[in-house]
Amino acid sequence: MTVSDYLAETLDDGPIRVVLTDVESMCSDSAGNGLGLLRERVSSDLDRSINVVLVSRYPRIRYPAVPGSSLLEDAKLLLPPLATPVSRERGDPAAVLPIHAERPNQDLWQTLACILEELGDEVLASLDHALFESMCTRDEALTLPTPRVLEALCGAGLVQLQGEDFKWTMPTRHGELREALADALAAMTHTPRSMNETFGAVWSLERTLRRAIRARARTLWGATWRQEALNGDLPTKTLERAKGDAYAAAKSIRELRDPLEWLSLGELLELRRRPEFGGLGVEEIVWTKLAMEVLPVRNRLSHMRLLQDGDLSTVRKWQRILDRKLHR
């Protein structure tokens, strides 16, 4: 049955088994609280000896979090076996993939494109970091993803557990996997679920820092704070940026409403190091850790790159810490 038919139809008491064939439909924007409703129905049917099998083309990591619902966590996970043991590939690496068994004449690149499309944003972002950014070797790259990402890769047939280590199922075609991943990442134009929240948290964090520097500068220099707050080449850079955008007729930095708004987060963090600001009363180790954890996320947002798993929670953490320390 489809999920929609299952939710709409009342079944007789078991023992029977129901196979839901399109659970990935619960990932669509129109699904609403579909997973919550599905959990209630499955729980009710289990009490009536109706067993339910959830068949999904998507890995668990791709599904939205539903408060109070543990349907996917409580389910026993079964991953499809490889179509052909790796030891019997016979020169065709795609022979290990179940999808290849269904479409034996399909080119490997097309197969990989289909697999990567189904894995979802978080898995692709994790693979991007592991295969392109980490500078790890092919095998070392598999030590970086989270268990949930590795679960997704195993379900897709790209990775398998051998003993205590995860191994690629098609190591001889690793280059083609990288190229297929590069194409999949370049083709992404939709906004990932966590993007808006992460941007909002970074925006709030930066504004909190700017406000604190501005308040300190006004205390130190009064009416001339605009000219005095920036050091080095920042006054010239700031004026040029402002003139190129909103202050075309400005002749001096004192004509800008707030010169700090034209500084990047990196420049703000560097500016607060001026002895006059005294670290804004925050310990140096806190600033160092904040820069190490938040600046990479800020750069990913600035260059419209994919966020990594944990970016949102990292920025939220530092947003709370900075707000608390600058308002104590």
Side-chain angles (χ1 to χ4, degrees):
M1 306 177 68
T2 64
V3 172
S4 59
D5 288 344
Y6 172 67
L7 291 175
E9 184 174 336
T10 300
L11 303 175
D12 295 332
D13 288 349
I16 60 174
R17 177 182 295 120
V18 177
V19 179
L20 303 184
T21 59
D22 65 338
V23 180
E24 65 273 3
S25 65
M26 294 291 97
C27 288
S28 67
D29 293 336
S30 61
N33 189 36
L35 280 176
L37 296 175
L38 184 58
R39 180 184 185 278
E40 292 179 8
R41 175 61 187 275
V42 170
S43 297
S44 174
D45 282 352
L46 288 175
D47 292 337
R48 300 192 297 126
S49 299
I50 300 175
N51 293 322
V52 181
V53 178
L54 310 173
V55 180
S56 172
R57 296 169 64 90
Y58 296 167
R60 288 195 290 186
I61 192 174
R62 185 165 176 176
Y63 286 83
V66 180
S69 175
S70 57
L71 174 67
L72 300 182
E73 301 302 321
D74 291 345
K76 179 181 179 180
L77 180 66
L78 296 174
L79 301 178
L82 296 175
T84 303
V86 175
S87 60
R88 286 185 265 146
E89 286 180 18
R90 298 181 180 177
D92 183 2
V96 305
L97 302 175
I99 190 175
H100 189 72
E102 295 293 326
R103 307 170 185 175
N105 297 323
Q106 181 170 281
D107 182 76
L108 176 58
W109 184 90
Q110 292 178 292
T111 300
L112 291 174
C114 180
I115 289 173
L116 294 173
E117 180 182 0
E118 292 180 353
L119 285 174
D121 298 343
E122 290 186 61
V123 178
L124 294 190
S126 179
L127 282 176
D128 183 26
H129 173 66
L131 300 186
F132 289 102
E133 300 176 354
S134 68
M135 296 184 292
C136 289
T137 65
R138 180 190 65 198
D139 294 332
E140 289 172 346
L142 286 179
T143 65
L144 301 179
T146 63
R148 192 48 59 90
V149 171
L150 288 170
E151 172 190 293
L153 296 177
C154 287
L158 298 178
V159 170
Q160 66 174 344
L161 183 62
Q162 294 183 353
E164 297 182 354
D165 299 319
F166 288 95
K167 301 292 184 181
W168 298 104
T169 59
M170 300 183 297
T172 58
R173 307 297 283 273
H174 193 66
E176 289 166 89
L177 173 61
R178 283 168 52 92
E179 286 303 313
L181 174 61
D183 288 346
L185 293 169
M188 289 180 59
T189 56
H190 62 274
T191 305
R193 286 198 303 265
S194 63
M195 184 69 73
N196 291 336
E197 293 181 76
T198 305
F199 178 84
V202 171
W203 187 89
S204 178
L205 184 151
E206 281 198 24
R207 300 289 292 185
T208 298
L209 178 55
R210 283 195 179 98
R211 180 175 61 183
I213 294 177
R214 185 179 190 274
R216 180 62 176 157
R218 293 188 67 183
T219 299
L220 289 170
W221 296 295
T224 63
W225 75 270
R226 293 177 177 82
Q227 303 95 287
E228 301 291 345
L230 306 187
N231 59 353
D233 61 352
L234 284 181
T236 301
K237 286 182 177 180
T238 300
L239 184 59
E240 290 177 352
R241 293 170 187 170
K243 290 178 66 175
D245 189 0
Y247 290 83
K251 297 285 193 293
S252 168
I253 198 170
R254 65 174 175 269
E255 298 178 46
L256 307 184
R257 174 181 56 80
D258 190 344
L260 299 176
E261 290 195 350
W262 301 93
L263 302 185
S264 68
L265 177 57
E267 289 169 335
L268 287 169
L269 289 172
E270 186 63 29
L271 182 63
R272 63 89 207 158
R273 296 170 63 93
R274 289 189 63 177
E276 295 91 334
F277 290 127
L280 302 177
V282 177
E283 302 88 341
E284 186 64 27
I285 186 62
V286 174
W287 290 117
T288 300
K289 289 184 176 181
L290 183 152
M292 290 177 60
E293 295 187 18
V294 175
L295 281 177
V297 182
R298 175 66 160 82
N299 290 337
R300 281 191 277 276
L301 289 170
S302 298
H303 297 287
M304 308 304 165
R305 296 170 56 227
L306 287 183
L307 296 176
Q308 295 182 10
D309 184 41
D311 280 352
L312 175 57
S313 59
T314 294
V315 177
R316 279 177 172 169
K317 175 188 73 175
W318 283 109
Q319 178 190 10
R320 291 192 296 268
I321 292 174
L322 198 61
D323 189 66
R324 183 176 67 251
K325 286 186 172 291
L326 294 181
H327 290 83
R328 57 190 174 186

